[in-house]
Amino acid sequence: RVHGGKMFNISSNTANEIKSFVSSKKIQEPLTNEEEIKNKEEQLMEIETLKCIYGDDDFKLLSKPDQYSKFRIRINEHTSIIIEFVSGYPSHQHPLFEFKSSVLNQNELKKYSSSLKKQYDENNANVIVFAWIEYLREELRPENDLDNMLQIESQKTKEKETLQENTKINNSSNNN
């Protein structure tokens, strides 16, 4: 399904994996050799930095070094992102990316995809992957889910207490 230049594929396998592939915006003009060389150098430096930061447990290179880099980074135990650099990254376009998740629904995927794209657009053609990963890790950390569940439970408890108070008041009024 295509929506606003974004294609969302939803597959239903045993893990209920949801994939989201976000297509890159088209480069208006071809890259010069200098731009392409500079992009490739920045990509290689970014790959090395990401490998050092996330280590072998969370970072896996999926392509050969002589190709445009494709790699997977684990966000949490339920979600990872596959990123593929393109010749126009970072100077002209964001990398391609695909979510793999057993917990995110299509609306959440759209939200995070839009957010990543917006971050790239606001980043003035600089490398962005580290910022993307940290944003996703913050957004998808288990404590956020726990906080949301606790807030919902607290609200339910308050509503129940209010209902009980109203019932007591009504019972007292009826007895008088």
Side-chain angles (χ1 to χ4, degrees):
R1 224 182 285 167
V2 177
H3 174 70
K6 299 176 177 117
M7 181 172 34
F8 296 91
N9 298 319
I10 299 178
S11 62
S12 56
N13 61 18
T14 54
N16 246 352
E17 184 176 87
I18 298 175
K19 295 180 180 180
S20 169
F21 175 78
V22 178
S23 63
S24 169
K25 67 182 177 184
K26 303 228 185 299
I27 297 176
Q28 300 298 325
E29 299 175 20
L31 293 174
T32 65
N33 283 341
E34 293 84 23
E35 288 174 321
E36 195 163 345
I37 289 169
K38 184 175 187 245
N39 282 347
K40 189 65 173 168
E41 288 172 354
E42 289 186 40
Q43 291 172 14
L44 292 173
M45 288 186 340
E46 188 172 22
I47 289 286
E48 289 304 314
T49 302
L50 294 169
K51 277 199 274 190
C52 289
I53 292 169
Y54 297 112
D56 292 339
D57 291 340
D58 290 344
F59 179 92
K60 180 168 174 132
L61 192 61
L62 303 174
S63 63
K64 296 178 184 175
D66 61 332
Q67 299 172 335
Y68 280 99
S69 298
K70 184 175 184 177
F71 51 93
R72 183 186 70 234
I73 296 180
R74 187 169 74 102
I75 305 301
N76 61 31
E77 66 183 77
H78 303 290
T79 305
S80 62
I81 187 170
I82 295 175
I83 296 177
E84 184 174 358
F85 288 154
V86 292
S87 63
Y89 173 74
S91 67
H92 290 76
Q93 65 190 126
H94 63 79
L96 303 177
F97 57 91
E98 176 184 4
F99 290 105
K100 295 203 177 247
S101 181
S102 59
V103 295
L104 296 177
N105 64 42
Q106 187 174 7
N107 288 334
E108 291 168 318
L109 291 172
K110 286 179 184 179
K111 175 183 121 178
Y112 293 125
S113 295
S114 293
S115 181
L116 296 185
K117 171 83 171 61
K118 182 179 177 187
Q119 286 179 32
Y120 171 79
D121 290 342
E122 293 171 350
N123 200 39
N124 298 322
N126 292 307
V127 294
I128 192 71
V129 175
F130 175 75
W132 280 1
I133 302 308
E134 291 307 302
Y135 161 76
L136 291 169
R137 284 185 167 192
E138 178 65 25
E139 287 291 309
L140 299 173
R141 70 176 191 207
E143 297 84 37
N144 284 343
D145 291 339
L146 181 58
D147 289 345
N148 290 339
M149 287 176 17
L150 290 174
Q151 287 175 354
I152 291 168
E153 195 59 41
S154 174
Q155 183 64 31
K156 285 181 181 178
T157 301
K158 287 178 186 176
E159 289 172 1
K160 185 178 177 181
E161 290 171 353
T162 302
L163 182 62
Q164 288 173 345
E165 282 296 316
N166 289 341
T167 303
K168 285 180 185 178
I169 292 170
N170 285 341
N171 286 340
S172 296
S173 298
N174 290 337
N175 288 338
N176 289 334

